[in-house]
Structures are given as C-alpha cells and as structure tokens.
Amino acid sequence: MAERALAPKAIVVYLPTGRCVEHRLQPTDAAAPKNGELMHLILFLIFAGLCLAGAINLLLQSHPINSALSLIVVMSSLAVLYLLLGAEFLAIAQIIVYAGAIMVLFVFVVMLLNAGREDRTMGSRAAKLIGFPAVAVLMALLATVIVRIQGLGAAQLGAGLAAAQTAVETAAGAQDTSNLAQLSQVLFHELLLPFEVTSVLILIAILGAVVLARKTEGDEPAVERTAAK
Amino acid sequence: MTLLQFFLWSVVKVAVVTVILLMGVAYTVLLERKLVGRIQNRWGPSRVGPFGMLQPLVDGAKNFLKEDLIPTAVYRPLYLLAPIISLTCALVSIAVIPFGEPNAGPHGLDLFEISNINVGLLVILGITSIGVYGVALAGWSSNNKYSLLGSLRSSAQLISYELALGLSLVGIVLRAGSLNLRVIVEQQAEKGIATWNIFGGLQFIAFFIYLTAAYAETNRSPFDLPEAESELTGGYHTEYSSMKFAMFFMAEYANMITVGCVATLLFLGGWTSPWGNLLGPVENNLVNALLSIFWFVAKVFCFLFLYVWVRGTLPRFRYDQLMNFGWRYLMPLAILNIVGTSLWLAYR
C-alpha cells in the first residue's frame, strides 16, 4: 500500500527536475507537462494494477506454466513502471534479462519436465493463524519505515543517479546528458570495483554449476542413471 | 503541435507502416518461392497474374477460407495465445525503426519513424527476446511430441544465439556512443560507404556474427531446427491450421524483414546513399525523402535476397553442431570483436 501512496508522487518529481525530461517534453506545447502528468498517472495505475493482478494470479494458478506466464506479466509491467520513473535502460534490461532470458529458462524447464497440475492442499492451520497476521505486520512495518525515511513528499528514488548527474554536469559543462550516460558513469566510474567484483562472483557461480554438472570419467551417462532409478 | 495532432499523426503512421509491412511480408513469400524456384531450376509460381504477382493474395484467401481445426487434446488458452504472441512481437519492432530522413514531414514531424527512442536498439532486442514465447508455448500447448521437441529446440537455440547477437552489436554501439538508431545511422553517413560500419568501421566480423545469429533467431535455414520437416514433420506448428498457421508464417517473414532493417541501419548506413554526405542533398525536399526511402528499401531487399539465397544453398545444421557453433565459436568471436573494437577506439 506504501507504493500506492508514494509512487505517483515519485513520477511527478521526475518531470520538472530532470533536465533531459524537460528537454523531451519541449516538442509538445506549453500545456503538455500537465497532460504528461495525467498520462503518467493513468499509465501507472494501469500497470501497477496489472502487476498486482499478475502476482495474485501467479499464486492462485495451479499449473506451473500459468504461474510462469503470470510472472512474465509481472516482470513486464514492472518494466513499464521503471520507464515511468525515467529509467529507460533499466526498463529494457528488465525486459531482456528477466522477461526474456530468465523466464524463457523457467518455461523451458517446465516444458522439459512436463510438470503437471499441482494438487491444492488446504495448508496447515498454523500457517493461516500466524502467517497472514505476520505478513500484515511486516508490510505495515516496511510501509512505516519507508514513509518515515522519505516522508510523504518527494520520494528520493534514484538519489545516486541524481548525484551522478550533478557530477557529470559539472564535468561536461552542464551539457544535455542522457539517463544512460549517467548510469554508465555510476557503473563504470564511481562503482567500478563493486561492479567488477560482482561479475567475478557470477562467473564463479557459473563455473561451480559447470563443475557440478560435469560428468567425471568412468561415470555412466546422466540419462542412463536417471533411467535406472 | 498539440497532443491531439500528435495522436492522429501517430495513428496514421502506425496504420501505414503496418500495412506496408504486411504487404512486404506477402511479397517476401513470393520472392522466396520465385528465387528458390530459380535456384532449383524451375519457375516457381507463375500462373496467377503476370509473373505470378498475384500469388500472395490467392495464398492469403486460401489460408483464410481453410477449415480451422483445433485438436481435442490441446491446452486451449495457450494454444490460441501463442500465434498472437508470435505475430505481435514480429510486427511491433518495426515501430522503432527509422527508414528515412529525420523530420521530413510538415512542422518538422518525424514522418519516417513511428517513435524515436533513445534506447531503440535495446527495444528491438527486448521484443525479439519476448517473441520466443510464441514458439515455445505453441509447441507445449499442442500436446504433440514433435511440437514439444520443436519448441524445446527453439527455446534453447534462441537463448544461445541471443547472446552472440547482443554481443555482436556492442562494437557498433561503442563506435556510435549511442543506442539511438538515428544517431548510429548519421554517424555512418559522413563519408558514405567508407564510413559504413561494415567497411570503414571495421565491423565485418560483427556483421557476420549478427547475420548468423539473426538467421538462428528467426528460425531460418540453415538453423531452422524448430520446424525441421525431415525429423519433426512441422515442428512447433504441426497442430496449427488455417489462419493460425498463417500467423506463424507471417511472423517468420516479418521477423526476416525486421532483421534486414536492423542490419541495414547498423551496418550499411541505413537510409543514406553509398556516397553519404560527400555529395550534398538535392534541392528538392520531396526527391530527398524519396531517395532515402529508395536506398533503405534497396538495402533491405539485398538482405532478403541473401536470406533466400542461403536457404536455397546451405544444408541444415545438426542440433549439436548448432549449439557447438553458437557457444564455442560465435560467442568468443563476438567478445574478441568487442575487445578489438575498444582497443582500436582507445588508441586510434
């Protein structure tokens, strides 16, 4: 519920401040920013609703492939929300990496294993008694913390980006820099070491997976092994 | 320009571009049948209309009038959704492709591009990566082992070749310093053919990788394993008939055209002429606009010709060869190309 209260304002914040956003609005006439805000709000409500509907559907569906498809809907509508916040690179990366690559892998595995419909169990009583209140408390806690830190006013989303923007602007003599340039400035200049360390971490994980999946010599082929079971 | 005008112009642009794209799809099919016919020493379609030029219309009518069979054992919602996903993704990516001079319309309107996005190249890659769901879901929901095999192959193949495809374009982006397709084209226009990315930009390796990976992405021969008729009868679309089959068919050819457009923009200087800015523009604005369209269409046509030529001459890969080639050769080659381009850009 915290997102509902905060996010539309966060969108509004990005409109008048960002130099490049203002620049993009110029081709339309002077009344356009107002139209733009309304448009942003409408788009936000549609895609936030779609996102929530997808998430709920993901939990309710009993067939794995339907759940996977709902997850794709969630990922894609999240991408649109990023786009509304002015983070176009993040939005497209979300589509390519999550909706495109990772979810294809999910669907691929579901198809490969030919997973069937799951039986619906009623669940334990303890989960119902403790689980729902616990989730509600957790949500309320998170919402309170977010509201406390940021206030109900302007949300400070992308504070790092804003800092980088000022850095880049002072460096480049306040030229028109795109969002992408700011992002790469942060990733490959200010946060270069953590970025490279993360890539090494992922590489190690991939190597580990390869080692685990590799057949050692004298081992019978994996297919026969599973068949023997 | 008010919001209403903007909206109306956008609707007109979308309608015109979509109709032209669909016509292009229809005549690409004819082009393929004609060319493959000539390669195999026969005439191809020649009865309907002069030189068989009306064949696409007749084909369309035939597909439309055929009985629409839905097998009983299919998973209906996804079975119906799959061709729609395929065709939608194939048609949407044309929206970010600029095919003529910028701001050629009245009031400086961008007449020759539906929307100019600063991450246009990534949008195309994103839409391509979503398109695989059409094929994957079609095969799975058909409840047929050949279809399932086809869609499994296709998912694995698309994931593998998407990497090489994306990496091959990094060199271009490094050179242009932008993901905007217009900027990439204008950077190549400077000295015409000498500054095209494929020649002056020294990106011919990237071009080869892109071409190969794009053939795999569009399921075209020699990488058409998802629908290999000798082993899988029809692959993922075995159980589809009538217009639903036609939708897959149209999606395939629309993807071919998109790939041709992207390759033209990235490697062959887009809508600019082979002598680029060396010869100034003609006095008449209309002639300029038409010339830019002419060069763009001519370049895309060459790609479609190449597609058919390759289909008519190369045999199909075996599945393990396909995977080997993608991961062991194309990927490292693409990474080497990135390193080489970066070094060249840094020390030139």
Side-chain angles (χ1 to χ4, degrees):
Chain A
M1 306 317 108
E3 300 107 335
R4 289 229 161 198
L6 285 174
K9 281 173 189 156
I11 295 158
V12 178
V13 164
Y14 262 85
L15 276 175
T17 53
R19 176 179 295 274
C20 48
V21 178
E22 267 181 359
H23 181 70
R24 239 175 281 151
L25 285 174
Q26 265 169 7
T28 49
D29 65 357
K34 209 175 176 187
N35 285 332
E37 279 174 29
L38 185 66
M39 195 71 197
H40 270 68
L41 187 61
I42 294 172
L43 283 176
F44 172 79
L45 288 179
I46 292 174
F47 283 97
L50 203 61
C51 193
L52 284 177
I56 293 169
N57 194 40
L58 161 73
L59 296 173
L60 292 182
Q61 287 292 336
S62 60
H63 203 292
I65 208 138
N66 289 343
S67 296
L69 290 178
S70 314
L71 195 50
I72 296 169
V73 172
V74 173
M75 303 278 191
S76 314
S77 24
L78 271 183
V80 179
L81 295 187
Y82 293 152
L83 202 59
L84 290 177
L85 287 171
E88 64 266 11
F89 179 74
L90 191 61
I92 301 295
Q94 168 92 3
I95 294 270
I96 294 179
V97 175
Y98 285 96
I102 292 182
M103 288 315 297
V104 169
L105 218 58
F106 272 43
V107 172
F108 181 77
V109 170
V110 170
M111 292 195 309
L112 192 67
L113 302 178
N114 211 359
R117 204 170 274 281
E118 282 176 5
D119 291 331
R120 193 179 291 280
T121 57
M122 289 316 288
S124 69
R125 183 176 286 170
K128 265 185 195 164
L129 280 179
I130 305 173
F132 284 110
V135 167
V137 167
L138 194 67
M139 284 297 194
L141 203 65
L142 278 177
T144 322
V145 168
I146 292 174
V147 170
R148 269 289 161 75
I149 291 176
Q150 303 193 325
L152 274 175
Q156 291 294 311
L157 288 172
L161 272 184
Q165 184 180 17
T166 45
V168 170
E169 271 175 12
T170 44
Q175 276 179 358
D176 183 28
T177 47
S178 74
N179 203 324
L180 199 63
Q182 295 165 31
L183 189 71
S184 37
Q185 181 75 15
V186 172
L187 268 189
F188 297 109
H189 193 256
E190 276 142 53
L191 301 177
L192 181 64
L193 187 67
F195 181 73
E196 294 296 336
V197 170
T198 315
S199 65
V200 172
L201 193 69
I202 294 172
L203 184 67
I204 292 171
I206 295 173
L207 288 180
V210 171
V211 168
L212 285 179
R214 219 172 76 136
K215 281 175 285 186
T216 47
E217 277 177 44
D219 222 7
E220 50 192 331
V223 182
E224 285 172 30
R225 211 164 44 207
T226 45
K229 281 178 193 168
Chain B
M1 191 164 54
T2 63
L3 206 63
L4 185 68
Q5 273 176 321
F6 175 76
F7 182 72
L8 287 178
W9 271 111
S10 301
V11 169
V12 170
K13 277 197 286 189
V14 169
V16 171
V17 169
T18 310
V19 167
I20 291 177
L21 180 63
L22 287 175
M23 289 298 285
V25 166
Y27 279 92
T28 309
V29 178
L30 181 69
L31 176 81
E32 168 152 15
R33 293 181 64 182
K34 280 285 215 191
L35 277 179
V36 170
R38 292 310 296 160
I39 288 170
Q40 294 166 352
N41 209 3
R42 57 187 172 81
W43 283 110
S46 60
R47 298 301 167 93
V48 192
F51 308 106
M53 290 302 273
L54 295 179
Q55 186 72 33
L57 297 178
V58 186
D59 280 347
K62 184 189 80 172
N63 269 321
F64 208 76
L65 294 175
K66 274 200 164 187
E67 186 183 355
D68 190 14
L69 285 172
I70 299 182
T72 45
V74 300
Y75 184 56
R76 250 183 112 96
L78 295 186
Y79 179 83
L80 299 178
L81 188 67
I84 299 175
I85 295 179
S86 262
L87 188 59
T88 313
C89 289
L91 293 182
V92 161
S93 36
I94 201 83
V96 294
I97 288 176
F99 38 84
E101 292 210 316
N103 308 330
H107 314 299
L109 182 82
D110 218 350
L111 202 58
F112 295 138
E113 180 174 20
I114 293 178
S115 67
N116 188 2
I117 301 180
N118 59 351
V119 285
L121 184 55
L122 289 179
V123 171
I124 291 178
L125 289 181
I127 295 169
T128 321
S129 69
I130 296 287
V132 58
Y133 288 116
V135 176
L137 294 178
W140 182 81
S141 66
S142 293
N143 205 1
N144 171 331
K145 56 188 163 198
Y146 294 122
S147 302
L148 184 65
L149 277 174
S151 67
L152 284 179
R153 279 181 176 188
S154 136
S155 316
Q157 175 180 330
L158 288 178
I159 293 179
S160 308
Y161 277 79
E162 216 160 67
L163 286 171
L165 186 88
L167 288 176
S168 71
L169 303 181
V170 173
I172 310 280
V173 176
L174 282 176
R175 259 177 63 75
S178 171
L179 289 166
N180 187 327
L181 291 166
R182 282 216 184 273
V183 176
I184 293 176
V185 169
E186 268 149 23
Q187 181 244 357
Q188 299 175 62
E190 197 185 332
K191 293 200 183 87
I193 210 162
T195 43
W196 284 3
N197 273 329
I198 185 175
F199 300 117
L202 299 179
Q203 294 295 320
F204 36 79
I205 299 175
F207 179 70
F208 169 73
I209 299 168
Y210 175 78
L211 210 59
T212 320
Y215 279 33
E217 287 277 311
T218 47
N219 291 333
R220 291 285 303 178
S221 174
F223 301 108
D224 57 345
L225 286 133
E227 45 188 310
E229 64 273 5
S230 53
E231 334 164 12
L232 298 180
T233 54
Y236 61 90
H237 54 54
T238 308
E239 297 289 358
Y240 283 86
S241 56
S242 178
M243 269 324 269
K244 293 200 191 66
F245 169 74
M247 280 163 95
F248 280 120
F249 205 67
M250 280 151 69
E252 181 178 330
Y253 284 85
N255 277 329
M256 279 168 64
I257 293 179
T258 310
V259 162
C261 292
V262 173
T264 305
L265 291 169
L266 296 182
F267 294 97
L268 297 185
W271 64 86
T272 57
S273 59
W275 42 88
N277 293 347
L278 292 178
L279 293 180
V282 196
E283 290 292 313
N284 192 334
N285 273 340
L286 184 69
V287 175
N288 270 335
L290 289 180
L291 265 181
S292 65
I293 293 279
F294 166 77
W295 285 117
F296 189 80
V297 171
K299 287 168 188 174
V300 173
F301 181 82
C302 290
F303 271 98
L304 294 177
F305 189 91
L306 188 66
Y307 252 115
V308 179
W309 192 0
V310 167
R311 187 225 143 145
T313 40
L314 288 187
R316 184 179 294 135
F317 274 63
R318 215 172 53 214
Y319 192 65
D320 57 321
Q321 290 173 334
L322 173 96
M323 282 294 161
N324 247 339
F325 186 62
W327 286 101
R328 290 220 184 126
Y329 296 97
L330 281 189
M331 262 261 289
L333 201 61
I335 294 174
L336 278 181
N337 178 56
I338 295 175
V339 173
T341 311
S342 323
L343 287 176
W344 178 56
L345 283 174
Y347 293 107
R348 115 187 115 154

